[in-house]
Amino acid sequence: MPKKILTVDDSNSIRQMVSFTLKSAGYEVAEAPDGNAGLQKAQSDRFDLILTDQNMPGMDGLTLIRHLRKLPSYGATPILMLTTESSDEMKSLGRAAGATGWLVKPFDPQKLLDVVKRLVG
């Protein structure tokens, strides 16, 4: 059974690129346009990995991660930040919130697949 991945990003083109990259490698992908929608999807389904942007309307990525980490089903689920933010300060805030890793946009599709494969197989 394919691993299920949720990608949360307010950029339609980024969501499409991430989905295309992951689906072509055999993963099942769901998309959400912001943190609120991402949290709802995560609560109504079960994902093996979550990719989230930081800067989104409504609920940003760090807030989404904090909410997810409070849910028993996502306490140990890998959550990756995929964002233009690359400062050490943001990365340390990400780690404190519970992010598993950090990828900077624009992303390299092969690097994304390598990281995902390492985390969920």
Side-chain angles (χ1 to χ4, degrees):
M1 196 150 159
K3 299 285 185 182
K4 290 174 74 171
I5 298 173
L6 174 62
T7 180
V8 184
D9 199 305
D10 60 325
S11 164
N12 193 34
S13 58
I14 293 288
R15 283 197 320 272
Q16 287 177 337
M17 283 192 305
V18 169
S19 286
F20 177 80
T21 300
L22 294 171
K23 285 177 181 174
S24 66
Y27 295 102
E28 192 178 313
V29 182
E31 299 179 19
D34 59 51
N36 291 313
L39 184 58
Q40 285 179 333
K41 279 198 187 213
Q43 289 172 315
S44 65
D45 206 341
R46 181 73 190 98
F47 295 95
D48 300 295
L49 183 137
I50 296 173
L51 279 161
T52 183
D53 184 19
Q54 166 54 18
N55 301 310
M56 299 179 286
M59 182 190 302
D60 67 24
L62 292 175
T63 305
L64 173 61
I65 292 172
R66 286 188 203 102
H67 281 294
L68 289 167
R69 288 298 184 216
K70 289 178 190 165
L71 301 171
S73 52
Y74 289 102
T77 301
I79 302 175
L80 294 173
M81 293 291 291
L82 178 61
T83 179
T84 55
E85 300 278 352
S86 60
S87 71
D88 289 340
E89 182 187 358
M90 278 306 291
K91 289 178 183 176
S92 92
L93 287 170
R95 275 192 296 279
T100 310
W102 200 277
L103 293 167
V104 177
K105 293 182 204 170
F107 70 96
D108 172 347
Q110 189 55 54
K111 188 175 179 187
L112 174 65
L113 289 174
D114 292 345
V115 171
V116 168
K117 188 168 283 190
R118 202 167 61 237
L119 292 170
V120 297

